[in-house]
Amino acid sequence: MSTTAEIISRCQTLFEDLTFSYAREWKAAMPGRSVVGYMPFYVPRELIHAAGGLPLGILGGGDQLEVIHGDAYYQSYICRIPRSTIELGVMGRLDFVDAMLFPSICDVIRNLSGMWKIMFPKVKSRYFDVPQNYQDNVGGEFYINELKELRDMLAEIRGTDVTDEEIRGSIKLFNENRRLVREVYAARMKQPWQVPSSEIYLLMRAGMILAVEEHNRLLGDYLAAVAAEDRPRRDNARVLVTGAFCEQPPLNLIKSIELAGCYIVDDDFMLVNRWERSDVAIDGDPLQNLASAYLHNSGNTSAKYEPDQAKKGLYLVDAVKRSAAEGVIFAAPSFCDPALLERPMLQSVLAAHGIPYIGFKYAENSGQMQPIREQAGTFADSIKLWSDQ
Amino acid sequence: MSATPVSDAVKEASMLKQKEMIAANYEQLATARETGRKVASTFVPGNLNELIMCFDMVNNLPEINAIQNGMRKKSGGYIMEAEKRGHSEDVCTYVKADLGSLAKGSLGPDGRPLPEPDLLLLSYTGCFTFMKWFELLRQQYKCETAMLHVPYEGEGHSSKNMRDYVVKQLKEEIIPKLERASGVKFDIDRLRENLRESAKAEDDLVWVLESAKHKPSPIDAYFGGVYYIGPIFTAFRGTPDATEYYRLLRQEIEQRIAAKLGPITPDGEMHEERYRLVVEGPPNWTSFRDFWKMFYEEGAVVVASTYTKVGGVYDLGFRHDPDHPLESLADYCLGCYTNRNLPSRIDILEKYVNEYEADGLLINSIKSCNSFSAGQLLMLREIERRTGKPSAFIETDLVDPRYFSPANVKNRLESYLQMIEQKRSGATASAAVA
């Protein structure tokens, strides 16, 4: 049996590999395979898998990629993820990718979808819209048709139709993946000292790269390895980190929060891994089932409209309660419209529920962690010393 | 200086008409509670004015209020007020100017308080921020909110699926909420009548915008253009007043063409047209006149702009259609400029540079507006490559005075115009050698 250190070491290697060797090798291993890149926060990976493709999460270049070309395409007031993504494209690091999907998250990623069409005309690319109306006969119908269009695009890449049976098979695998992801998150909520967030982060990032079958095995192995190890428990404050659902924080930022005396007990780093909150139905029309899960059984983030003012932000309060968090850290990338416009609304909801919070900004290549560590440390101290909870 | 200062400025009939219309709308807003009129707040892109009018509601546009506050030099204080209340310095200044104004009592340009809306009609068209803006307003007002999700034309065109989705939302979400907020039952024939009126005004608006193909151009299609689009992008599309406004405007411009006159500027008529430019992006509002002056002092006329398409792209053929009322509203929303993908926006700019015989493209990149700004540097390169004309890039903001640096903007503009001169003299020299 592998140890957590061995498993995480593998994840770290995948995380640091900006040439995406795993995905290249996966594609080369069998004729007819394709790789479909996608950006945060959500795409139906089941369809890519059903079409014989590898869904490859593109979450920018992190803090190890020097961005030269990408900066020439953006003004100083645009966030960093599109710059490093363009850098990856221009430098040929994504030259094996057959198609790119740009989900409906913000105007920057939306416009990047058009830029991709111009800069990489041989690669299929698509802006992937999701409904902001959650009635089955309105938003649901729209979404089913969008899914059909995506399915047909993927079928064109493969050269053969994607069958309902194939999609059902993929849904089963991703249901298993989500179940295991939920289990890992639950384990961390229960014993965060046993399941450090810097490890969870790498484990979940591996899910952006690995084939789902392999990621499922890895998650299972990690859960088994965690159970077999005993790690020291510290008197840390339990915090929830939110706002980091697109451009990712440097790994060092996550480690800094932990080193500052916080256990991260919930986060929104990679929403796609657990967007659907429970299993997607298998029987019946698979596209309808995916649509229904999106409309009625999916997570929350600021790119998703909340029709009911009374419910606005309560998902965060629920997450705080569920994870027994003692405070919330709003960590958002600089110039991130979704996270920064949402933040005051969420903060007012937290304030109304007496939940303490702090906020800061980062970029994926932020290098100076001392201020973060001091801020998080002070927050942890204030929770421990003065919180009523 | 190529503009002649006018000591005793004579307002043209269209200007007076527009002034009256705007004053009347603010009067309706200020007295809405006394008169019992219900108020809908909505946005410029994807503005459903013809539909709102079917319910006798008065239309209030937070973007326009932010612009008004920008031009009256009040937005800076409002933005700082919003930032003090926890809104990030990184986000849209329209939003912060609006929220700051709200915190300070929300006064209209006539100094009277604007009424609280009875309905927030969120037409989510071409701008992600709109959704958050109205969620923020909803938190303040706690009133009914209707969300119209307009899908983005990611593939460069709309599809039947998108159109059907918008129409269904109109039927099942928007109209019932308008009925509930107003107490007025929907009458589709009334909508048809309003749309018929819109199409008349749209014909004249397109004629006006295309008049800039003349040399000299009788209009400035950016700085002047923002006044021309005022009625049709706001609370007046579909009204006889708007039709009359565009009829008057067209007459005036016909006369200007016949007299071979250039555009009217705040300092009078511009006599010599030295440069013809296409501009992409919204203007800066806090120093609007200073900004414009930098152009007309150099004899630079904007012959086409994309900002004047943000509330509807009519010059590519779209007209509101009374025979297909809801479908037509859907097509209108889907086709607004910032709801079109980047390749389509580049095609439009290329067409403008060529058809309006422009010397080049100038991009005014707005810090606040990622919907416009993200990708503009690629647009610039593409237009230069396709047209062979020089392009330039300046950066300002919508209503945040901290981001308007006159010396930098002027310097860049002058350098750009010199570049155009050099290109011209190079072309003349090559022709002479040949």
Side-chain angles (χ1 to χ4, degrees):
Chain A
M1 191 181 83
S2 305
T3 62
T4 54
E6 286 162 350
I7 292 166
I8 297 308
S9 166
R10 186 181 177 214
C11 295
Q12 177 111 24
T13 305
L14 289 167
F15 169 66
E16 288 170 355
D17 178 12
L18 290 176
T19 57
F20 303 100
S21 316
Y22 171 88
R24 288 174 188 272
E25 285 162 17
W26 183 91
K27 183 178 172 180
M30 202 180 287
R33 281 183 166 181
S34 62
V35 176
V36 178
Y38 65 92
M39 294 198 69
F41 66 101
Y42 165 80
V43 296
R45 294 175 298 169
E46 291 87 342
L47 292 189
I48 301 168
H49 181 269
L54 175 74
L56 177 67
I58 304 292
L59 292 102
D63 57 0
Q64 297 303 309
L65 183 73
E66 188 183 6
V67 172
I68 298 165
H69 304 279
D71 276 343
Y73 289 89
Y74 286 105
Q75 302 89 318
S76 56
Y77 50 80
I78 305 278
C79 57
R80 188 168 150 107
I81 187 171
R83 302 162 192 273
S84 57
T85 303
I86 281 192
E87 189 77 18
L88 292 172
V90 170
M91 294 304 288
R93 291 170 190 258
L94 298 175
D95 57 4
F96 63 101
V97 171
D98 300 279
M100 278 289 286
L101 298 178
F102 299 87
S104 165
I105 183 166
C106 73
D107 294 332
V108 172
I109 300 302
R110 184 198 74 178
N111 287 6
L112 182 58
S113 70
M115 292 174 73
W116 215 263
K117 284 184 191 296
I118 293 165
M119 296 178 72
F120 308 101
K122 290 180 183 162
V123 178
K124 280 190 183 293
S125 62
R126 186 176 175 85
Y127 172 76
F128 182 71
D129 218 342
V130 288
Q132 302 288 359
N133 174 297
Y134 310 120
Q135 291 170 253
D136 290 297
N137 65 329
V138 184
E141 206 162 300
F142 164 74
Y143 191 47
I144 289 169
N145 286 319
E146 288 293 301
L147 291 172
K148 280 180 186 164
E149 286 183 26
L150 176 61
R151 179 196 61 192
D152 294 348
M153 183 189 103
L154 296 165
E156 204 180 311
I157 293 170
R158 186 170 68 172
T160 54
D161 285 350
V162 181
T163 67
D164 284 358
E165 210 43 56
E166 284 174 316
I167 302 172
R168 282 189 201 104
S170 301
I171 290 174
K172 264 185 212 166
L173 277 168
F174 278 94
N175 278 344
E176 175 66 2
N177 188 256
R178 285 183 283 265
R179 188 187 63 71
L180 288 161
V181 166
R182 283 195 298 272
E183 227 176 284
V184 171
Y185 270 86
R188 180 180 65 171
M189 275 181 205
K190 202 172 167 194
Q191 294 181 310
W193 58 94
Q194 281 285 88
V195 191
S197 289
S198 51
E199 288 189 4
I200 295 243
Y201 183 78
L202 290 168
L203 195 62
M204 295 303 152
R205 276 296 289 258
M208 302 292 101
I209 298 165
L210 295 174
V212 63
E213 298 86 342
E214 207 169 335
H215 193 232
N216 286 351
R217 281 194 294 276
L218 195 73
L219 291 167
D221 290 350
Y222 181 78
L223 283 164
V226 160
E229 292 174 22
D230 204 12
R231 290 168 162 181
R233 180 178 181 167
R234 294 193 170 84
D235 186 25
N236 284 359
R238 296 171 65 94
V239 300
L240 182 154
V241 175
T242 187
F245 45 83
C246 183
E247 180 177 320
Q248 296 292 292
L251 184 59
N252 273 341
L253 190 148
I254 297 167
K255 288 180 178 171
S256 295
I257 292 174
E258 291 187 309
L259 286 169
C262 296
Y263 283 133
I264 300 172
V265 288
D266 202 357
D267 64 66
D268 61 356
F269 297 139
M270 267 150 284
L271 289 173
V272 70
N273 272 346
R274 52 194 193 127
W275 184 246
E276 290 86 356
R277 288 180 297 206
S278 57
D279 282 359
V280 177
I282 307 285
D283 298 333
D285 180 342
L287 298 188
Q288 197 161 344
N289 291 340
L290 285 169
S292 183
Y294 187 91
L295 295 181
H296 307 301
N297 191 29
S298 61
N300 283 288
T301 186
S302 66
K304 190 177 168 189
Y305 179 64
E306 170 52 68
D308 184 351
Q309 168 59 24
K311 291 185 184 160
K312 181 71 195 175
L314 287 185
Y315 74 88
L316 195 56
V317 176
D318 291 343
V320 166
K321 286 180 185 162
R322 199 170 46 245
S323 60
E326 296 165 288
V328 172
I329 294 180
F330 287 91
S334 295
F335 306 110
C336 175
D337 277 344
L340 294 172
L341 284 161
E342 184 87 342
R343 188 187 275 189
M345 288 185 274
L346 296 178
Q347 288 180 340
S348 69
V349 174
L350 292 185
H353 287 80
I355 299 166
Y357 58 82
I358 55 162
F360 53 73
K361 292 190 288 186
Y362 65 83
E364 64 179 5
N365 63 337
S366 292
Q368 177 55 268
M369 290 303 151
Q370 190 58 26
I372 302 282
R373 204 165 156 175
E374 283 170 8
Q375 217 179 329
T378 308
F379 187 52
D381 289 348
S382 71
I383 286 171
K384 285 287 166 196
L385 293 172
W386 294 296
S387 177
D388 296 335
Q389 293 176 22
Chain B
M1 185 168 144
S2 21
T4 310
V6 220
S7 52
D8 190 15
V10 177
K11 295 272 186 193
E12 295 197 300
S14 65
M15 293 180 188
L16 295 170
K17 176 75 184 164
Q18 181 168 175
K19 202 174 167 188
E20 275 170 32
M21 289 158 69
I22 291 170
N25 193 57
Y26 277 112
E27 173 68 22
Q28 286 181 352
L29 284 168
T31 58
R33 291 294 162 255
E34 295 150 39
T35 58
R37 294 282 297 272
K38 301 292 183 185
V39 177
S41 279
T42 195
F43 292 117
V44 167
N47 169 358
L48 302 171
N49 200 50
E50 299 90 343
L51 188 64
I52 292 169
M53 289 198 304
C54 292
F55 300 92
D56 298 324
M57 295 181 89
V58 193
N59 189 341
N60 184 27
L61 297 123
E63 285 157 294
I64 302 298
N65 299 336
I67 291 171
Q68 293 273 1
N69 285 326
M71 293 181 105
R72 289 184 297 131
K73 314 281 184 201
K74 294 196 165 183
S75 54
Y78 290 151
I79 289 165
M80 285 197 273
E81 180 64 31
E83 288 175 357
K84 264 198 291 186
R85 290 166 182 256
H87 295 274
S88 169
E89 63 272 24
D90 291 355
V91 302
C92 174
T93 52
Y94 271 168
V95 177
K96 287 183 288 186
D98 188 36
L99 295 171
S101 160
L102 189 60
K104 295 280 188 186
S106 200
L107 300 179
D110 54 8
R112 290 186 287 176
L114 291 165
E116 292 198 358
D118 298 287
L119 177 75
L120 290 167
L121 175 50
L122 166 55
S123 181
Y124 182 42
T125 304
C127 169
F128 171 81
T129 297
F130 283 165
M131 182 163 75
K132 297 293 113 185
W133 190 347
F134 264 29
E135 282 186 342
L136 284 158
L137 288 182
R138 183 180 66 179
Q139 194 179 38
Q140 299 283 323
Y141 292 123
K142 300 188 169 46
C143 66
E144 176 112 71
T145 307
M147 156 64 129
L148 177 69
H149 174 207
V150 178
Y152 180 63
E153 292 190 347
E155 295 303 303
H157 55 81
S158 64
S159 65
K160 183 178 178 301
N161 185 38
M162 294 176 182
R163 191 192 213 211
D164 290 349
Y165 176 45
V166 177
V167 169
K168 263 192 196 170
Q169 290 176 82
L170 289 170
K171 285 181 181 167
E172 301 202 12
E173 167 80 7
I174 306 299
I175 291 172
K177 285 191 171 169
L178 281 161
E179 284 184 327
R180 201 153 60 223
S182 66
V184 175
K185 191 155 176 50
F186 176 57
D187 175 359
I188 199 160
D189 290 328
R190 200 170 163 189
L191 177 61
R192 288 183 207 278
E193 197 46 50
N194 295 341
L195 294 172
R196 196 167 286 117
E197 204 66 46
S198 294
K200 287 185 216 164
E202 287 156 6
D203 282 343
D204 281 340
L205 169 72
V206 170
W207 186 92
V208 166
L209 294 175
E210 292 188 338
S211 72
K213 288 179 181 171
H214 287 268
K215 289 185 180 176
S217 169
I219 62 164
D220 184 290
Y222 185 54
F223 297 104
V226 299
Y227 291 99
Y228 305 149
I229 57 172
I232 210 154
F233 279 14
T234 62
F236 309 103
R237 201 182 63 224
T239 65
D241 273 341
T243 309
E244 175 64 4
Y245 167 80
Y246 286 102
R247 191 187 63 78
L248 289 170
L249 181 63
R250 179 172 176 162
Q251 274 179 1
E252 288 159 9
I253 289 165
E254 280 170 344
Q255 287 165 12
R256 300 190 71 75
I257 294 169
K260 296 198 177 302
L261 294 174
I264 297 176
T265 75
D267 282 332
E269 270 168 22
M270 200 175 119
H271 291 305
E272 190 192 356
E273 177 185 284
R274 295 180 60 205
Y275 307 100
R276 294 168 66 82
L277 305 178
V278 170
V279 173
E280 147 79 10
N284 163 269
W285 299 107
T286 50
S287 300
F288 183 79
R289 287 205 169 185
D290 294 339
F291 192 24
W292 189 356
K293 194 172 184 177
M294 291 175 196
F295 286 70
Y296 64 75
E297 278 190 340
E298 298 290 338
V301 179
V302 181
V303 289
S305 67
T306 52
Y307 181 67
T308 51
K309 315 296 154 34
V310 77
V313 178
Y314 299 104
D315 58 344
L316 300 184
F318 169 79
R319 295 290 180 275
H320 282 92
D321 178 2
D323 294 331
H324 303 92
L326 298 182
E327 293 79 4
S328 169
L329 287 175
D331 292 342
Y332 156 72
C333 291
L334 287 161
C336 285
Y337 180 70
T338 51
N339 204 50
R340 294 169 184 249
N341 74 355
L342 227 68
S344 308
R345 285 170 58 185
I346 292 169
D347 290 345
I348 290 174
L349 284 168
E350 181 188 9
K351 178 181 155 75
Y352 285 168
V353 171
N354 291 332
E355 290 186 0
Y356 288 78
E357 296 183 62
D359 293 300
L361 168 71
L362 177 76
I363 294 180
N364 181 35
S365 187
I366 293 290
K367 174 187 175 283
S368 271
C369 186
N370 287 341
S371 175
F372 258 106
S373 302
Q376 280 177 328
L377 284 159
L378 178 64
M379 295 169 86
L380 179 138
R381 290 182 193 197
E382 276 295 297
I383 294 299
E384 281 190 334
R385 187 183 65 77
R386 291 187 196 183
T387 66
K389 303 272 175 71
S391 299
F393 204 80
I394 53 178
E395 292 179 77
T396 70
D397 188 51
L398 296 165
V399 289
D400 192 338
R402 297 171 296 189
Y403 293 96
F404 186 80
S405 169
N408 282 343
V409 172
K410 194 166 168 39
N411 191 21
R412 285 210 191 175
L413 180 65
E414 285 173 358
S415 304
Y416 177 49
L417 298 177
Q418 280 170 15
M419 200 199 313
I420 291 174
E421 279 300 346
Q422 276 181 340
K423 188 120 184 162
R424 280 178 185 164
S425 43
T428 313
S430 310
V433 171

